[in-house]
Amino acid sequence: MLAVTITDYALTDIVATLGAVRPEQGGALLGLPGSDLVTSFVHDTPAVVTTVRYHNSDWLLDEVTRREQQGPERFKGIVHSHPAGVPQPSSQDCSEFGESLRLNPELGRYLAGIVTLTPEVDPDEHQLTLGPALCSFFGASWAGPRLSVRRMRPVVVPIQQSLAHAGLDPAAHRPVPIVVDGAVALGSRLTPAGLPPATLLFPAGFPLAAPLLLPDGGPARPLTWDLSLPAIDRLAAALRPAPRPTARPAPPQQQPVPRRSPWYRRRRGRGHAPVDLFARTQGLLSADLRHRRVLVAGVGSVGTYLAETLTRSGVGALTLLDPDTVEPANIGRSMFAVDDLGRPKAEACARRLAEINPDVTTAVVADAIGAIPSRTLAAMIADADLVIAGTDDNAAQERLNHLAYAAGVPAVFVGLYKGAAGGEVIIVREGLPCWSCGTGGVRDGIGADATRPEVNYGTGRLTAEAGLLTDIHLVSAAAAKISLALLHPGGDARIARFLDRPLHDGENYVLFATEPGHWIFPHIFADTLGQHAVQSIWMRPERRPDCPVCGTLEHRVDPLWHGADGSPQQILDRQRAAYQQRMRSTAGREQ
């Protein structure tokens, strides 16, 4: 689904006008040229309307023309309201879309929005709910001689919220489109503390990409940007950075073990031989697993399955990292029970593991990966024999990748695709491409626009993706077997040989399809009989020599800088720029 990007300023104006009156009303969408970015909304107040009909006025056409002549904003389309229960364009709307495209051929795509007052409706991918208003987005374009009207996924740019969180008046600092060095950007005038007056330039990738500060009469510079913070808090931190804490955080606490069952206590108290919970995996798994510790980052549907499977396999210690609490929606896709509702996920998971094996040792960390200081997180990883990265946050996965690779601790990265129709497991250890290289670098730092998970506009939290528990378990089960093999380097247990050939051949990226016809699988298995679903492909990605995580030694960067000074690639770029500057200075002195 194509995306339409819209500022929260424009959304606020739409809801305050069309969402506050009876239908039908309408107005124009304006935005930056050359993109589907909507920056403002012009309400067509003089239009003559009925409860079932809106047609733009001559005033609106003149106002759009005036704005286009005075600034870089361009007409993008029309948004108007419909009666409740009709959140899609009518046949008359589609005719007008086509006529507008004919009159404005430079548009390429005509953006259209439909506003309905429909309370308590779960929005689809192409919709947003803001108060009582449901905003549905569409795009019209010509497909040969026919008009194509498609749903478009809205992506909200939280500029208004970010300014408010930074202590700035959103109305007084509302950005306007300006031209800087031939490029169009949204600029807001402000006076930063201790700095001269400047213009804050918001890039198209905001809030993932850092704004530029353009002082009056000086060169532009990017703000220091902390991607570990919630999106709407990053600007506040960049304009008024908080002092670094001097005290080291407390280490993760060992989770108290629940009371052992009466049968288990009686066996121990009467001098019987130790209870063997793992008798039926003898020869397949090693008893030495009781001395292994696994760090599980992300205790959701994937993390709880892996933690439980490893505990049932004999792993003796686990460190559980997750900042969230158990919600009702978690019950259908993870180990949690109704009694766990409201408890921290990591704590509830630890209690469950202790009920399975009372001798297991767990450490609970109820913090987000981005909130844990680098040295503390590095110490947790160094204390583990294996890292399992099961978060749904690319920035967290990137940080775990960097620290685990540098520490020489093997890691398993597990991800589910949309609807759990497929997934991936990436094995990372010294000598193999890291997670960043395995994914082609498309999920790193500010280059991850297209692949980063969606964020709920109202809460700022990552949006949970629907998917069947069975499909999630298929991918998670493969990750569990891979994890157990990595915990048996060498050794005589049968599981130790499971990864011999793929790791020898460098095949550390496994793709899965849980549904028929998923993605590239029909093309690969097109001529293979007996194929339907539950398919896998082991692939061999290439390691980039200049990768700051796993590349040649001169290109690697210190993982302890990661998060404090930027992503690995940003750090490496600064190192290279400084080196080139030193070389130019040296050459100038020699001349």
Side-chain angles (χ1 to χ4, degrees), residues 281-351:
T281 56
Q282 287 182 1
L284 304 175
L285 299 173
S286 170
D288 288 341
L289 282 177
R290 67 180 182 274
H291 303 304
R292 304 281 187 265
R293 175 177 288 276
V294 176
L295 184 149
V296 181
V299 189
S301 53
V302 171
T304 54
Y305 177 93
L306 282 159
E308 180 169 340
T309 301
L310 294 176
T311 299
R312 291 186 184 276
S313 300
V315 171
L318 295 99
T319 301
L320 307 171
L321 278 65
D322 199 296
D324 294 332
T325 56
V326 181
E327 299 176 352
N330 300 134
I331 303 300
R333 292 207 322 197
S334 52
M335 66 153 61
F336 303 119
V338 172
D339 287 345
D340 296 318
L341 292 175
R343 286 178 176 159
K345 282 185 176 180
E347 176 188 323
C349 181
R351 291 169 61 89

Side-chain angles (χ1 to χ4, degrees), residues 208 227-228 297 369-370 377 381 389-406 411 413 428 434-437 439 441-448 544 547-550 557 559 562-563 566-571:
L208 199 61
L227 292 174
S228 68
I369 298 296
L377 184 58
I381 290 173
T391 79
D392 49 8
D393 183 347
N394 286 331
Q397 300 287 87
E398 183 183 22
R399 194 170 182 214
L400 292 168
N401 171 60
H402 199 183
L403 287 167
Y405 201 97
F413 291 78
V428 171
C434 70
W435 173 82
S436 175
C437 288
T439 56
V442 299
R443 300 176 193 167
D444 299 358
I446 61 173
R544 295 169 292 172
C547 174
V549 176
C550 68
V557 301
H562 189 178
S567 71
Q569 190 60 54
Q570 290 171 324
I571 298 167

Side-chain angles (χ1 to χ4, degrees), residues 250-531:
Q253 298 297 312
Q254 299 295 314
Q255 178 68 15
V257 177
R259 187 179 178 187
R260 294 187 173 103
S261 71
W263 180 89
Y264 195 95
R265 293 200 309 274
R266 286 197 302 271
R267 292 279 299 184
R268 286 292 180 89
R270 293 175 182 175
H272 289 283
V275 178
D276 189 355
L277 303 178
F278 316 107
R280 296 188 178 181
T281 56
Q282 287 182 1
L284 304 175
L285 299 173
S286 170
D288 288 341
L289 282 177
R290 67 180 182 274
H291 303 304
R292 304 281 187 265
R293 175 177 288 276
V294 176
L295 184 149
V296 181
V299 189
S301 53
V302 171
T304 54
Y305 177 93
L306 282 159
E308 180 169 340
T309 301
L310 294 176
T311 299
R312 291 186 184 276
S313 300
V315 171
L318 295 99
T319 301
L320 307 171
L321 278 65
D322 199 296
D324 294 332
T325 56
V326 181
E327 299 176 352
N330 300 134
I331 303 300
R333 292 207 322 197
S334 52
M335 66 153 61
F336 303 119
V338 172
D339 287 345
D340 296 318
L341 292 175
R343 286 178 176 159
K345 282 185 176 180
E347 176 188 323
C349 181
R351 291 169 61 89
R352 170 67 170 165
L353 299 182
E355 291 170 355
I356 295 168
N357 178 11
D359 293 323
V360 73
T361 300
T362 54
V364 170
V365 182
D367 293 321
I369 298 296
I372 302 174
S374 292
R375 292 187 182 278
T376 302
L377 184 58
M380 294 181 195
I381 290 173
D383 189 43
D385 298 285
L386 178 72
V387 172
I388 292 177
T391 79
D392 49 8
D393 183 347
N394 286 331
Q397 300 287 87
E398 183 183 22
R399 194 170 182 214
L400 292 168
N401 171 60
H402 199 183
L403 287 167
Y405 201 97
V409 177
V412 175
F413 291 78
V414 191
L416 275 299
Y417 300 150
K418 187 174 181 60
E424 66 185 27
V425 177
I426 303 174
I427 306 165
V428 171
R429 71 177 191 182
E430 182 63 43
L432 293 172
C434 70
W435 173 82
S436 175
C437 288
T439 56
V442 299
R443 300 176 193 167
D444 299 358
I446 61 173
D449 276 315
T451 59
R452 63 191 175 108
E454 292 185 21
V455 175
N456 182 284
Y457 177 60
T459 65
R461 296 174 59 187
L462 295 175
T463 300
E465 180 66 55
L468 289 176
L469 180 63
T470 53
D471 294 336
I472 296 170
H473 279 187
L474 281 168
V475 179
S476 301
K481 189 165 186 177
I482 288 170
S483 298
L484 288 170
L486 291 171
L487 288 169
H488 288 78
D492 298 326
R494 195 168 83 184
I495 190 68
R497 301 188 292 276
F498 176 64
L499 293 176
D500 284 353
R501 188 205 55 79
L503 293 187
H504 177 270
D505 295 341
E507 295 172 347
N508 68 320
Y509 194 147
V510 196
L511 283 176
F512 297 90
T514 61
E515 294 185 359
H518 177 65
W519 193 26
I520 62 174
F521 285 84
H523 303 286
I524 295 175
F525 295 115
D527 300 324
T528 305
L529 295 177
Q531 292 295 318

